[in-house]
Amino acid sequence: MHNVDSKYNEYLMNFNSFLQTQFVEFHHKFPNVLADAMQYAVEGGGKRVRPVLALATADILGVDKDKVLNFALAIELIHSYSLVHDDLPAMDNDDYRRGKLSTHKKFGEAIGILAGDGLLNYAFEVCLQDKEFNRDQAKALKIIGEYAGPSGMIAGQVLDLQNEKNPAWTEEILYSIYENKTAKLIMAPVLVASALSGGKYFALLKEFAFNLGILFQITDDLMDEEGDLQSIGKTPHKDKEADKLTSVKVFGVEGARERAKIHYEKCKQILDEIPNSEFLKGFTDKMYFRKS
């Protein structure tokens, strides 16, 4: 695990260094309050799970990190925008995110909405900066658009809203929400790296990342049930109070733990078929055993 932590920190430092250069770009290009709000929404982003996944998968597949950094950044910007909008009064109505005031509480609701819009749009601008944009990059960009859009993450958010307080919930509905709302944006960085490699291990990596995404959401449910503001960085028990459809609601706490174990073991089984995937195995361990 120590080697995994060391490598994780290396990927994290590489990404955060690149991110700092983008914050400078924010302030050169955008109105000051918008730049401040966009930076606020992205900085202090904790573990940077998605960009680390992109960089690690690229490493495994022999893709130069400079070719994947823009795409890793785009996914993190999209993830951050989704959290800004999730926290709005019309959605989850949360005052805290990542242990600090949510963006709309810090800058006001209107700027919060526009900061989210700005992050989403700038994400695609970032991906298109290469003057020699090629077919593999086009495939990577399509993955991001599809997995973050109305047939991916946004579809999952709609299903999530529609199934609050729904007495006719099913396990199938739960998994549809989790696949789209959470797993798609975990799958995107892995599949982007594969696309940039010409599609190496694409099908296996897709199955791995799907299971990792479901595992990530179930552990998130368990932390919401059992954690506190200090440990999880956001208001706990919000899902239960909103009567959202969660793995804890469907399976109970122990049942959710059992489901997490199933997806964890599936991830490890798939990675046995992919050479040089030791880091991703350790990464999966971190996701399964995480408490924050």
Side-chain angles (χ1 to χ4, degrees):
M1 186 66 76
H2 174 71
N3 288 339
V4 171
D5 288 341
S6 176
K7 195 66 178 174
Y8 194 109
N9 287 333
E10 180 185 327
Y11 292 132
L12 186 60
M13 288 175 64
N14 283 335
F15 177 75
N16 282 339
S17 176
F18 181 64
L19 180 60
Q20 290 303 316
T21 68
Q22 296 302 308
F23 288 156
V24 173
E25 288 296 305
F26 284 9
H27 290 277
H28 283 162
K29 294 180 176 180
F30 312 142
N32 286 337
V33 67
L34 181 60
D36 287 342
M38 288 171 65
Q39 179 171 341
Y40 182 85
V42 179
E43 68 185 354
K47 299 178 180 66
R48 305 288 186 203
V49 166
R50 292 155 192 83
V52 167
L53 272 174
L55 289 168
T57 308
D59 216 0
I60 290 167
L61 301 177
V63 177
D64 190 284
K65 76 175 191 309
D66 290 337
K67 292 185 177 180
V68 78
L69 271 170
N70 281 344
F71 293 92
L73 173 64
I75 292 167
E76 189 69 2
L77 296 180
I78 290 169
H79 172 58
S80 297
Y81 116 76
S82 74
L83 300 182
V84 172
H85 283 189
D86 270 354
D87 291 337
L88 289 167
M91 297 279 281
D92 289 347
N93 192 25
D94 209 322
D95 292 349
Y96 293 95
R97 171 68 64 178
R98 294 167 171 167
K100 62 182 184 180
L101 285 174
S102 48
T103 304
H104 77 276
K105 294 301 290 186
K106 176 78 172 178
F107 293 91
E109 190 173 344
I111 294 297
I113 292 169
L114 293 169
D117 294 344
L119 290 168
L120 173 59
N121 284 276
Y122 190 61
F124 290 94
E125 184 178 337
V126 163
C127 290
L128 292 163
Q129 287 179 347
D130 191 337
K131 293 178 181 177
E132 297 180 359
F133 197 78
N134 61 34
R135 184 183 294 268
D136 288 342
Q137 290 169 308
K139 289 178 180 177
L141 183 56
K142 185 176 185 297
I143 288 167
I144 293 175
E146 179 183 340
Y147 280 43
S151 60
M153 179 185 70
I154 294 173
Q157 291 172 316
V158 170
L159 289 170
D160 187 37
L161 288 170
Q162 287 179 329
N163 284 281
E164 286 182 6
K165 302 179 175 66
N166 178 11
W169 53 262
T170 64
E171 182 179 327
E172 182 181 3
I173 292 173
L174 176 74
Y175 267 79
S176 183
I177 293 170
Y178 282 11
E179 177 180 3
N180 288 289
K181 185 180 179 183
T182 302
K184 288 283 179 74
L185 221 59
I186 297 289
M187 296 166 73
V190 173
L191 297 182
V192 158
S194 176
L196 294 173
S197 77
K200 292 179 184 175
Y201 299 104
F202 190 91
L204 282 173
L205 286 167
K206 184 175 183 179
E207 188 179 2
F208 157 71
F210 166 77
N211 281 278
L212 184 68
I214 302 296
L215 169 63
F216 184 91
Q217 184 57 61
I218 294 173
T219 57
D220 202 63
D221 292 345
L222 289 166
M223 290 189 300
D224 182 76
E225 179 74 16
E226 301 172 331
D228 54 33
L229 175 61
Q230 184 175 2
S231 65
I232 65 176
K234 58 183 180 179
T235 307
H237 315 306
K238 291 282 288 187
D239 292 343
K240 180 182 285 187
E241 290 168 10
D243 199 16
K244 283 184 175 289
L245 186 58
T246 69
S247 60
V248 172
K249 181 176 180 177
V250 173
F251 305 117
V253 170
E254 290 307 315
R257 286 200 181 98
E258 282 300 311
R259 286 292 172 135
K261 184 178 180 182
I262 290 168
H263 291 288
Y264 168 70
E265 291 175 347
K266 184 65 174 175
C267 287
K268 300 295 281 284
Q269 177 187 338
I270 296 164
L271 290 173
D272 282 339
E273 301 182 54
I274 300 175
N276 305 313
S277 61
E278 288 76 15
F279 175 82
L280 288 181
K281 290 177 182 176
F283 185 104
T284 303
D285 291 341
K286 288 174 72 71
M287 290 300 101
Y288 181 54
F289 294 108
R290 73 191 180 112
K291 298 296 181 186
S292 63

